Amino acid sequence: MTFNNSTYSYDLNYDFSFTNNLTVIHSRKTITGDFNLDGKPDVVRVAGAHDVLSKSNITLSVNNGYELQYISSVPESQYHTLSSGDIDGDGDLDIFFGGSYEDGFGINNGDGTFSWKRSYEIIDNFKVPNSVDGDHGKYGLWTSEITDVNNDGLVDLVFAGIHNVGDPTHLNGITIIYNDNYSFDYNDAEIVYIPDGHLTEDLAVIDFNNDNLPDLITKSVISQNRNIVTAHIQTENGFEPVEVEGGIFPELPGFTWITVRDVDNDGKVEIVEQESSIFQYTGTIRRSLQWEYSGNKFIK
């Protein structure tokens, strides 16, 4: 699908070649970016899911088209999250692969091929001592973003997942590992705690109050099989909670992903699910949950 500037709509476009000689398995997350620095967007899909191991893959731009390729250097696994950004300052997009025993970074060689580095080789003090397999970063990563959180021009690492406060093998909450001149140290991370939130499935880093500081939206599972949507606004003193009206409710089938954007073009940011209608896995369909930022809280 390509965007037509004259009609402001998307059109089917087959005006390029596509080479596909692989068998690939569905992925939990897909990202886009110009990974081979040729000015065209490429697509990376993380490998496998639900105990199905696979190789991650990239749809890479080539002359007059695209080619689907395995990312050969990244271990076969069932990653739960991936995110990209220039973590080493060489001008290309690197990729974080997390949520399995083979967590790590694909360090871009500048052409859309990658060299493999374990997460603890990039992030100081991230390795779990005496881990089950003897070779692992923090357990339970479900979601991640690589973005500039503190507006210093360098991308930071934002991780979340299964939170066990005080357990050195897991994250304690939403974990922001700041980029200190292309050096990362887990011991210097900022932690944003989600009350009773033992599993954060999705997050968004976005400036929702228009003060030029990125803020934080999360969707988590809390005790008694309930969900919670939280918002934290970034201030000079750190991240402070903002009310999300009716943001705690019984668990809803199909409620995993959130999107934060101005969906109705009224200048105010909304928190919504990934589609306008959600299939409940019970034969029924419900309307998407939605909140709008009013200036001091999110109203349902």
Side-chain angles (χ1 to χ4, degrees), residues 151-196:
N151 284 348
D152 65 353
L154 304 176
V155 294
D156 310 298
L157 309 176
V158 186
F159 294 158
I162 299 173
H163 304 153
N164 291 325
V165 176
D167 187 336
T169 67
H170 286 78
L171 302 177
N172 290 327
I174 313 300
T175 303
I176 305 170
I177 307 173
Y178 289 105
N179 188 335
D180 182 11
N181 194 26
Y182 303 105
S183 176
F184 301 89
D185 191 338
Y186 178 76
N187 287 348
D188 295 332
E190 181 173 3
I191 308 298
V192 179
Y193 294 97
I194 308 299
D196 296 323

Side-chain angles (χ1 to χ4, degrees), residues 224-245:
Q224 299 175 357
N225 291 323
R226 294 177 299 162
N227 285 298
I228 182 172
V229 175
T230 67
H232 288 78
I233 197 166
Q234 186 174 179
T235 72
E236 61 182 12
N237 298 318
F239 287 86
E240 299 179 357
V242 170
E243 181 183 353
V244 178
E245 185 179 59

Side-chain angles (χ1 to χ4, degrees), residues 28-254:
R28 284 188 170 110
K29 188 174 179 181
T30 299
I31 59 175
T32 61
D34 182 9
F35 291 95
N36 59 357
L37 302 178
D38 67 350
K40 301 176 184 178
D42 311 297
V43 182
V44 176
R45 299 196 307 157
V46 75
H50 304 291
D51 296 325
V52 178
L53 304 185
S54 181
K55 295 289 278 186
S56 296
N57 59 81
I58 184 169
T59 302
L60 192 68
S61 58
V62 294
N63 290 336
N64 301 316
Y66 284 85
E67 182 176 350
L68 183 62
Q69 305 174 6
Y70 287 130
I71 304 178
S72 58
S73 60
V74 176
E76 183 179 78
S77 192
Q78 52 166 336
Y79 298 106
H80 206 284
T81 183
L82 79 167
S83 46
S84 69
D86 183 9
I87 67 166
D88 53 8
D90 64 354
D92 54 30
L93 292 173
D94 310 299
I95 305 175
F96 171 72
F97 297 82
S100 81
Y101 286 99
E102 292 284 357
D103 60 307
F105 290 85
I107 303 301
N108 199 336
N109 298 317
D111 57 0
T113 63
F114 300 87
S115 300
W116 182 243
K117 294 285 187 181
R118 294 303 301 272
S119 58
Y120 53 77
E121 294 182 273
I122 302 296
I123 308 168
D124 293 338
N125 299 302
F126 196 69
K127 188 172 184 178
V128 171
N130 303 316
S131 63
V132 173
D133 62 345
D135 185 27
H136 198 270
K138 301 298 180 183
Y139 289 115
L141 269 69
W142 278 56
T143 184
S144 65
E145 296 292 338
I146 299 180
T147 187
D148 186 1
V149 177
N150 56 358
N151 284 348
D152 65 353
L154 304 176
V155 294
D156 310 298
L157 309 176
V158 186
F159 294 158
I162 299 173
H163 304 153
N164 291 325
V165 176
D167 187 336
T169 67
H170 286 78
L171 302 177
N172 290 327
I174 313 300
T175 303
I176 305 170
I177 307 173
Y178 289 105
N179 188 335
D180 182 11
N181 194 26
Y182 303 105
S183 176
F184 301 89
D185 191 338
Y186 178 76
N187 287 348
D188 295 332
E190 181 173 3
I191 308 298
V192 179
Y193 294 97
I194 308 299
D196 296 323
H198 70 271
L199 169 58
T200 295
E201 294 181 311
D202 199 17
L203 61 86
V205 183
I206 185 172
D207 177 19
F208 59 73
N209 66 335
N210 296 318
D211 66 350
N212 296 317
L213 285 175
D215 308 305
L216 186 63
I217 305 288
T218 68
K219 185 271 172 183
S220 302
V221 177
I222 58 176
S223 59
Q224 299 175 357
N225 291 323
R226 294 177 299 162
N227 285 298
I228 182 172
V229 175
T230 67
H232 288 78
I233 197 166
Q234 186 174 179
T235 72
E236 61 182 12
N237 298 318
F239 287 86
E240 299 179 357
V242 170
E243 181 183 353
V244 178
E245 185 179 59
I248 301 179
F249 37 80
E251 188 164 14
L252 295 173

